[in-house]
Amino acid sequence: MSLRGFGSDNFSGVLPEVFNALKEAAYGHQPSYGEDSYSQKAIQDFKDIFGEDIEVYFVYNGTGANILAISAFTRSFNAVICAETAHINVDECGAIQKQTGCKLLTVPTFDGKLNVGLLQNHMHGFGEQHHSQPNLISLTECTELGTVYTPEELKEICDFAHAHNMYVHMDGARLANAVAHLECDPQDLTVRAGIDVLSFGGTKNGMMFGEAVLFFNTSVCPNVKYIRKQAMQLHSKTRFIAAQFSAVLKDGLWLKTAGHANRMAEKLAKEAALIPGVKITQEVQGNEVFAIIPRNKIEVLQKECFFYVWDENASEVRWVCSFDTTENDIIEFVNLLRKELI
């Protein structure tokens, strides 16, 4: 393999600012389990962006963040509604079902996005003891297909959920890419839209490890610390997660890096679409490109520049750009596509 791949933004390295923050936090002693000064600073950094009336909990990874967020609002007899393509349904090895006991009610979509009309199919069985009780809707921003919910779309869903006494969770592993795409205030996609709890991504946007769970609806928070501990997501040296978040949140770095990844994806899609045999299947709004390419060329291309197959039946692949993707990476890969497909 000679070229840098487009397999995932998890493939990328670590931002220099993050690495420096980790080095700084490595010296001296600090109280453990989130009582350190780094954690308190990072929590305030989040409040400066999302508002003072929130609570923030640091965890190791995205699956842990989703488990903590969903567990806080559900019981084992509840059901969680999500898109069929949702990460909690496809890529978390049944972790939500195992750890929360909840049933996942999945919804087929064309672009990864739920709407009130699609949600109506699961609005039944309330109060029926033989039926898992729908209690939470989980949305992903950006979606697993790289598309972005607008603030208006999110508010409509949240209003609908709250009218049915349900909660809304946002898997924001790539929230930064959505905010950068829409050029909006992060609160417009979260607290103002009515989101109850957010899994805020760090690893996909230049951090070494760590995610955060932001509770906008803090009514459940008295129990969250116990849920996090039982879920094995309480890091004893929490400062090493917190220091990274302070670094990426400082001066809007998290949005600058996400914006760069988005622009690289746009450039890749634009150039690849000009090549015969390539069909871009979704509007590029974040840092992911979905494309149908000739089936017999996939393995040849992967040997030179790795990427994942998204839908084997459709011969659809996914290319993901990162904070450190360069224009030269795009040019080299597009040249490879031309060489193999034309």
Side-chain angles (χ1 to χ4, degrees):
M1 187 179 300
S2 60
L3 304 182
R4 292 213 298 178
F6 293 89
S8 172
D9 31 17
N10 287 327
F11 282 28
S12 61
V14 176
L15 284 163
E17 292 86 349
V18 166
F19 198 74
N20 290 335
L22 284 167
K23 288 196 295 183
E24 178 186 334
Y27 294 97
H29 285 208
Q30 286 276 335
S32 57
Y33 301 112
E35 300 298 325
D36 59 281
S37 61
Y38 291 93
S39 293
Q40 300 312 305
K41 182 183 185 305
I43 288 171
Q44 186 57 54
D45 291 337
F46 274 113
K47 289 184 176 182
D48 290 343
I49 295 171
F50 291 96
E52 290 291 330
D53 298 327
I54 67 172
E55 291 202 24
V56 182
Y57 294 81
F58 299 111
V59 296
Y60 287 109
N61 54 40
T63 299
N66 289 338
I67 288 172
L68 178 61
I70 293 173
S71 295
F73 289 94
T74 59
R75 297 181 66 179
S76 59
F77 55 78
N78 288 135
V80 175
I81 304 174
C82 63
E84 192 173 59
T85 52
H87 200 271
I88 62 173
N89 181 50
V90 177
D91 289 307
E92 293 187 348
C93 197
I96 299 299
Q97 295 95 315
K98 181 178 188 298
Q99 298 299 328
T100 70
C102 292
K103 180 181 181 65
L104 291 185
L105 301 176
T106 61
V107 181
T109 70
F110 291 106
D111 57 1
K113 294 166 66 173
L114 297 176
N115 58 51
V116 169
L118 294 173
L119 292 168
Q120 290 282 7
N121 293 330
H122 290 303
M123 292 296 108
H124 58 85
F126 293 100
E128 170 54 57
Q129 64 184 332
H130 301 290
H131 192 275
S132 295
Q133 297 296 289
N135 188 62
L136 183 141
I137 298 168
S138 182
L139 309 173
T140 312
E141 182 79 306
C142 307
T143 73
E144 284 73 18
L145 294 178
T147 52
V148 171
Y149 288 98
T150 65
E152 295 76 19
E153 290 170 329
L154 291 171
K155 189 174 189 312
E156 183 179 15
I157 292 173
C158 290
D159 288 348
F160 175 80
H162 296 155
H164 285 82
N165 296 314
M166 297 172 65
Y167 303 103
V168 182
H169 161 248
M170 176 179 283
D171 182 342
R174 296 187 177 95
L175 176 64
N177 302 93
V179 176
H181 170 70
L182 294 173
E183 298 182 336
C184 66
D185 187 318
Q187 291 191 32
D188 292 340
L189 296 180
T190 53
V191 59
R192 290 179 189 143
I195 299 296
D196 292 288
V197 61
L198 165 69
S199 301
F200 186 95
T203 312
K204 286 179 167 60
N205 197 21
M207 284 176 43
M208 184 178 291
F209 65 93
E211 315 286 301
V213 182
L214 278 58
F215 287 86
F216 306 115
N217 180 343
T218 59
S219 63
V220 298
C221 286
N223 293 326
V224 169
K225 60 184 178 182
Y226 309 117
I227 299 171
R228 178 173 63 173
K229 181 66 175 180
Q230 284 195 332
M232 296 176 285
Q233 289 293 318
L234 177 60
H235 189 18
S236 59
K237 296 183 179 180
T238 310
R239 70 182 186 270
F240 292 108
I241 297 176
Q244 295 180 73
F245 272 119
S246 286
V248 299
L249 295 176
K250 184 178 180 181
D251 298 326
L253 179 61
W254 64 297
L255 297 178
K256 295 173 186 175
T257 52
H260 171 80
N262 289 359
R263 289 189 294 275
M264 292 300 99
E266 290 171 7
K267 181 176 179 63
L268 173 56
K270 181 178 179 181
E271 296 295 329
L274 300 175
I275 300 173
V278 176
K279 179 184 178 182
I280 307 300
T281 59
Q282 296 289 338
E283 182 180 356
V284 178
Q285 298 179 323
N287 63 322
E288 299 173 282
V289 180
F290 293 83
I292 292 175
I293 63 176
R295 191 183 309 275
N296 63 339
K297 297 294 184 179
I298 291 176
E299 187 174 344
V300 175
L301 291 166
Q302 285 177 319
K303 288 180 179 178
E304 293 296 322
C305 185
F306 182 77
F307 53 85
Y308 284 108
V309 176
W310 180 257
D311 185 337
E312 291 185 14
N313 293 329
S315 190
E316 184 179 22
V317 301
R318 185 190 71 166
W319 302 320
V320 186
C321 295
S322 304
F323 76 89
D324 60 352
T325 301
T326 67
E327 290 195 8
N328 192 59
D329 292 333
I330 303 298
I331 292 169
E332 288 186 340
F333 183 56
V334 170
N335 286 339
L336 175 65
L337 289 174
R338 290 196 183 100
K339 173 186 172 185
E340 297 295 337
L341 301 185
I342 296 179

